[in-house]
Each structure stands twice: as C-alpha cells, then as structure tokens.
C-alpha cells in the first residue's frame, strides 16, 4: 500500500494536487525490493509541461522494460508547494512510489531549455542532494543531465555528475549495466564515474578543466583524468523504426500542455536553417517506417483513450510517406471523435487539403513561419522560402475557407537592417491583401493576421554560433519600429503584432553560449529567489542583474561580441557529426546571402554522413 508523501491537509491547500499524487493510467509500479537500480526521471518544470515531453516518455518506457530497473518521475513543485516543503522540511519525492529522490541511485534531469536552470537547483535542494557534484557522497544519487541544452553543458557543469550527449536509446543500457556491476563490486562513486567516462557519449565535467585568457575568452579546455576522453561523441539512433517507443504512455489526470498521443514520424531536418540548433544537432534525418507508425497510432490511441493524435517532427512536410500516413489516419478515424494535429507543415496544396479534412476551418488558424520579412534576410538565414511561396500558400488557404493566419518572425538576426524589420509589417499586409482579393461573397468575414516576433538567440552548433546579440533595449527598439510600420499599413485593422520578452531573450543568450563561470551566476540568482524563469509571472530580471553584479560577471561579454571563428568555444570538445568547418562555411554563406540547398536536393558535406545512414544515404540505395 502506497503512502502519499503529502498529507491531505497540504494537498487540499495547494493548486492542482493531482500534480503530486501519481497513480495515473499506464504509470509503472514495481516492487522496489526486486530491482537493482532506481532511477528518478526529472523534467525541471511544472507537471503539465513535463508530462507533455516525448523524450521522458520514451526513456521511462525503455528503462521500465528492464526487470532490474524501476524508473519513476519527478517534476518541479509549483511555488505554493515549494514554500510548504521548505517550511516543513519535506524532501522531494517520486510520483510512483512517493519515496524521497535522495534514496534513488540516479536522478536524471532532461534539460530542454535554458530558462529552467534555476529549477534544476530547486530540484536538487528540495531533494536534499548537495548542489555541487564534488560535495556528494556515496549516499547521494548520481545526477545525470541530457537533452538539447546538454550540448553546451558548461554553465551547469558543477551541478551534474554526468551528462549524456545525444539520443538516450543508445548507451543508457551500457551505463546502467556498468552501475550495476560497480554496485555489486562495491566500487566507489569516483570509480564508477571513471568507468562511465569510458562509455561513448558520456561526459563527466569534474574530469575536465578550463583556463581563460586575460580578455576572458577560453584559453584551454582539457581532460585532467586519464579515464576521460579528449572529445565526447554524440549518440545517434540510426534505425529509428526499431528503436523503443512507448505504446502505453502515461496519461495524466489533469490537462497537460500536450494532452494527446504523439507519433514521432522522423528525427532530424533536411532544411538547414542557420539559426536552428535542432536542425544541426539531430542530423542526419531518419524516417520511421509508415506501416509501424500506423500500428503505433492504433495501439497508442487504444491504450490511452486520448482523442487527439499529433504527428511530431521538425519538418513534417519532408516525411516521404506523409500522404499515405495522413490518409490512413483520416480514413481509420473518420467519425470516431479523434482529432489529427499536424504541426510543422509547410503551407502547400497538399497540406491545406489535409488540414481541411482534419480541422474545423472556421475556428482554426494556420501558421506560417517566414522567420524574416524580407527575401534578403530569408536568404541570410537559409529559410528556403520565397515571398511567392508565402503568398501562394496564404491565397490557397483563404480560398479553402481559412481567414485566420499566424505569422512567426525573428528580430535581431545578423546583418538585419531597418528595411528588413519594416518588411515584417509589409509582408503581413500583403498576406491580408491576398485575402481581400477573394470575391466578397466567398469570404468568411474579416481576416485576422497575427504576427509575432521572437528575438534572435545564437545557439551552439549552428552557423550563427559566432554572431552577436542585441541589448534588451535594442530588441525592444526594433520591435517598436515594426509595430509603427504595422500602423502604417492599409489593412491595419486586420493585423495584430506582438513580441517576446527581450530581457528573457538576453538571459537565454548568456546561458546558451556560457562557460563554467556562468554556474555561479545561476546559483546566486537562485539564492536571490529566481525560479520558474520561463514563466512571465515569476520571472524577475532585477534579481538576475543583481546576480551578475554580485558575482562580478558581465553578461554582455557573452551576448554582444561577435566571436572569431578561431576562438575556442566552451562546447568544442563535443562532436555532433556536423563539422565546425561546415558551420564556418555556412556562416560565410550567410554573410554573402547565399542559399544552401536542402539535404535531398544535394549534399552540402556537413559531416553527418559519418553516422552511416539516414537521408545522407537514401539517394544511394
């Protein structure tokens, strides 16, 4: 019989107590006395967001298929429970068993975005695990990080024992077997970490040392333990069809952000947008077999009771069997109350035809992501989209019955000029004009064009990793130029414009390209009370600025300067397949405004072919 970690009195006085009680459909229960390894899988954000993350569902399923492992889940407590747990000294606990995290063998934390870094410290502190890896004893869990932000692990280096670089399906079994062996042979924590460092894709930060030049740039980064390799190679699942996939994902009691069956149709992207980290990290593009996907869809809908299925990938339109898969889903579930969600589609005739069959056209809006207003800037970022493509797609959508369109742009891109900014408003207006070219009797009232701009953040392992950012004030100034231009447009009553928080963007930029010195800023900000920094209602920029001041670290060193391509970068010790030489070449092509064709049109020699599969090999077979 399970005893809840929180009393009824606490549960009745906090928001959404179902976040903390576990027991959901398809959650895995085991006898803890019959397993060798207990693994707590953490998403360092609130339950509803963490439960929407496919990666955790995959690893949860994969680990729990092993009889010797029990994988459980833990999320960041919301601020109300956080306060109670501190006051009453209640240790953070796992949902399934309700046992304290500090009693587990592993705490695995997925690091999906930079603004969750203070939540990682919250999880460690509430778990009563020493915050710094070097202070942990034989009694503490091994703290391991993974996910996209682990590709620059340095800002978090002192808080983690290990980082797993790459896709989790490859060497986790090897790592867990190694731990089991060490446990049996009564080896020390240090001995396990030294053996783990020999597993490809595993990075042990305490075995490396950084030194700096007088100007603050990185002078040297080297291994200081003989067991640690000089470079760490990312892990890639080449056969995604046969990889583990959760047929019975956990179904939350309360509405999650993505409350649906998620069908991952492929990994990677052929497009090569120069600002996009995912497009570089997840190369090469690998497709799942369409027959297996049909089977997955039927099984997962049956096992969850969900009423929506979403096709997940970075660019769904590029999946070669999309038409066959979508036709199957429409025919199979027509009239059965199952919605089909198709994110990441390019707006073309096929996509619109599909969406008209699966959406209520009158209620829904379509999303385009031109990313830049002018063709010049779209060439700089290698978007591979012309204004004709955008207007043709919008025209077909309007003629198909849609009247709401969302347009996503980015401000602050390298070499952006005022004319490029104004083109965001002008392009939005031209989209609206295209609507009003339709005869009045065929329109559905007024059109609504909502344009949103985020601010550019240069990310590691992209051609723009050397680019400077703007100050928060400059980002806001650029947004004001765009907003003013919107007010000058003919169809301004049909146009709406909003933009992202500039202060959050600047911080994200510091963390994205930060080195080990940033760890002390994150810790100081956390001590000052920063938490849930990706949430508007809890973000406090003043405290962050105080943290930089208190630690004597200048954020502008990380944001405003353009790096030389010869500079040693904090993440250069990681090999992702895509070479630095290729990224330099793309950086130069961006400066020249030259477009690089996508991977199916022609190989650009990025280096990902070294993995021996995927789109790089399709044309040869």
């Amino acid at each position: 019989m399970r005893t809840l970690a929180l009393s009824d009195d606490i549960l009745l006085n906090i928001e959404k107590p179902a976040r903390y009680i576990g027991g959901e459909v398809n959650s895995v229960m085991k006898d803890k006395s019959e397993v060798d390894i207990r693994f707590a899988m953490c998403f360092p954000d609130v339950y509803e967001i963490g439960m929407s993350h496919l990666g955790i569902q995959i690893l949860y399923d994969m680990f729990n298929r092993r009889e010797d492992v029990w994988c459980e889940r833990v999320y960041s407590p919301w601020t109300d429970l956080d306060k109670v747990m501190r006051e009453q000294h209640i240790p953070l606990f796992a949902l399934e068993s309700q046992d304290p995290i500090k009693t587990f063998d592993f705490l695995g934390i997925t690091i999906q975005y930079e603004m969750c870094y203070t939540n990682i410290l919250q999880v460690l502190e509430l778990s009563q695990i020493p915050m710094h890896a070097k202070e942990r004893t034989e009694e503490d869990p091994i703290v391991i990080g993974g996910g996209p932000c682990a590709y620059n692990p340095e800002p978090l280096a002192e808080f983690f024992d290990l980082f797993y670089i790459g896709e989790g399906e490859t060497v986790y079994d090897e790592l867990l077997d190694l731990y089991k062996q060490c446990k049996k042979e009564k080896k020390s924590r240090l001995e396990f970490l030294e053996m783990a460092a020999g597993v490809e894709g595993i990075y042990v930060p305490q075995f490396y040392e950084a030194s700096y030049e007088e100007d603050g740039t990185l002078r040297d980064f080297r291994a200081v333990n003989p067991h640690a390799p000089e470079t760490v190679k990312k892990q890639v699942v080449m056969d995604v069809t046969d990889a583990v996939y959760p047929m019975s994902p956990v179904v939350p009691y309360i509405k999650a952000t993505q409350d649906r069956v998620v069908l991952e149709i492929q990994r990677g992207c052929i497009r090569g947008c120069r600002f996009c980290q995912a497009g570089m990290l997840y190369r090469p593009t690998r497709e799942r077999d369409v027959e297996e996907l049909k089977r997955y869809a039927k099984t997962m809908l049956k096992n969850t009771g969900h009423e929506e299925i979403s096709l997940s990938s970075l660019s769904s339109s590029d999946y070669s069997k999309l038409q066959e898969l979508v036709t199957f889903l429409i025919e199979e579930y027509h009239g059965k109350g199952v919605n089909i969600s198709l994110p990441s589609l390019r707006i073309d005739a096929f996509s619109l035809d599909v969406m008209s069959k699966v959406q209520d056209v009158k209620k829904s809006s379509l999303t385009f992501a031109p990313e830049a207003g002018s063709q010049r800037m779209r060439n700089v970022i290698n978007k591979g989209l012309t204004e004709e493509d955008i207007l043709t797609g919008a025209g077909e959508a309007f003629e198909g019955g849609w009247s709401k369109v969302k347009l996503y742009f980015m401000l602050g891109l390298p070499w952006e000029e005022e004319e490029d900014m104004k083109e965001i408003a002008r392009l939005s207006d031209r989209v609206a004009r295209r609507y009003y070219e339709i005869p009045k009797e065929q329109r559905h009232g007024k059109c609504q064009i909502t344009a949103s701009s985020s601010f550019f953040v240069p990310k590691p392992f992209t051609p723009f990793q050397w680019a400077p950012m703007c100050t928060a004030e400059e980002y806001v100034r650029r947004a004001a130029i765009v907003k003013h231009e919107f007010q000058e447009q003919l169809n301004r009553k049909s146009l709406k414009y909003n933009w992202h928080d500039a202060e959050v963007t600047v911080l994200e930029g510091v963390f994205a390209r930060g080195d080990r010195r940033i760890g002390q800023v994150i810790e100081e900000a956390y001590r000052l009370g920063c938490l849930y920094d990706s949430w508007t209602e809890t973000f406090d920029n003043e405290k962050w600025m105080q943290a930089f001041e208190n630690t004597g670290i200048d954020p502008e060193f990380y944001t405003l300067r353009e790096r030389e391509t010869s500079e040693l970068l904090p993440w250069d010790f990681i090999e992702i397949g895509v070479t630095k030489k290729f990224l330099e070449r793309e950086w130069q092509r961006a400066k020249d405004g030259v477009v690089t064709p996508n991977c199916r049109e022609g190989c650009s020699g990025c280096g990902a072919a070294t993995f021996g599969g995927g789109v790089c090999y399709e044309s040869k077979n």
Side-chain angles (χ1 to χ4, degrees), residues 359-372:
Q359 288 185 2
D360 180 343
V361 171
K362 292 186 181 71
K363 291 179 185 172
S364 63
S365 61
L366 286 178
T367 300
F368 291 80
E371 307 292 0

Side-chain angles (χ1 to χ4, degrees), residues 26-211:
N26 297 332
S27 60
V28 177
M29 296 301 294
K30 294 189 179 185
D31 183 339
K32 60 189 175 189
S33 65
E34 293 181 3
V35 297
D36 298 307
I37 298 172
R38 296 191 68 189
F39 198 113
M41 185 68 74
C42 172
F43 193 101
D45 206 321
V46 75
Y47 174 90
E48 297 93 301
I49 291 177
M51 279 297 289
S52 304
H53 183 244
L54 177 62
I56 280 191
Q57 294 269 18
I58 290 173
L59 292 178
Y60 180 83
D61 181 75
M62 183 177 95
F63 289 176
N64 281 320
R65 289 186 189 196
R66 290 181 55 139
E67 289 184 4
D68 57 350
V69 177
W70 186 11
C71 180
E72 304 180 47
R73 294 161 298 130
V74 59
Y75 304 100
S76 279
W78 187 244
T79 52
D80 54 353
L81 181 59
D82 178 285
K83 185 170 182 286
V84 172
M85 293 178 80
R86 290 174 195 277
E87 287 170 353
Q88 300 190 23
H89 305 290
I90 299 168
L92 188 60
F93 51 91
L95 293 188
E96 282 77 358
S97 64
Q98 300 279 298
D99 289 343
I101 301 301
K102 64 181 177 181
T103 64
F104 282 63
D105 297 289
F106 285 91
L107 169 59
I109 303 176
T110 184
I111 317 165
Q112 290 298 307
Y113 35 81
E114 290 82 2
M115 300 313 292
C116 72
Y117 287 1
T118 53
N119 280 56
I120 292 170
L121 303 192
Q122 174 213 30
V123 166
L124 291 171
E125 188 170 44
L126 289 180
S127 300
Q128 300 171 8
I129 298 169
M131 214 171 271
H132 299 108
K134 64 185 179 188
E135 293 167 5
R136 293 180 195 135
T137 68
E138 305 299 325
E139 306 305 310
D140 295 306
I142 300 291
V143 181
I144 182 165
C149 291
Y151 285 91
N152 178 20
E154 290 307 281
L156 296 170
E158 62 187 293
F159 310 121
F160 283 84
D161 298 301
L162 304 172
F163 285 96
Y164 184 117
I165 311 296
E167 296 170 352
E169 298 97 326
T170 54
V171 298
Y172 249 126
D173 279 331
E174 187 182 341
L175 186 69
L176 294 175
D177 289 343
L178 188 64
Y179 179 79
K180 197 171 149 182
Q181 178 195 330
C182 288
K183 201 175 175 182
K184 188 179 175 184
E185 295 172 4
K186 294 188 165 47
K187 290 190 183 294
S188 69
R189 185 185 192 90
L190 178 62
E191 286 174 306
F192 167 68
L193 292 177
E194 287 183 335
M195 291 172 77
V199 176
E200 191 174 80
I202 299 297
Y203 168 52
V204 185
Q206 61 188 275
F207 294 165
Y208 296 79
E209 215 168 69
S211 61

Side-chain angles (χ1 to χ4, degrees), residues 271-339:
R271 295 284 147 188
C273 296
R274 293 174 179 134
F275 60 83
C276 180
Q277 187 183 43
M280 299 294 162
L281 293 183
Y282 301 124
R283 290 186 177 205
T285 302
R286 294 145 286 152
E287 295 191 349
R288 288 187 191 270
D289 177 72
V290 70
E291 294 305 321
E292 281 296 281
L293 288 172
K294 291 174 188 177
R295 185 176 70 83
Y296 288 0
K298 291 169 92 166
T299 307
M300 291 170 78
L301 284 164
K302 181 184 167 197
N303 289 344
T304 60
H306 279 307
E307 295 174 342
E308 185 171 342
I309 186 163
S310 175
L311 305 187
S312 167
S313 83
L314 293 172
S315 178
S316 300
S317 298
D318 295 319
Y319 178 61
S320 62
K321 298 288 175 62
L322 183 66
Q323 190 156 359
E324 181 183 340
L325 179 60
V326 170
T327 303
F328 164 79
L329 291 172
I330 290 170
E331 289 173 357
E332 185 75 15
Y333 295 104
H334 179 71
K336 295 182 183 176
V338 174
N339 295 322

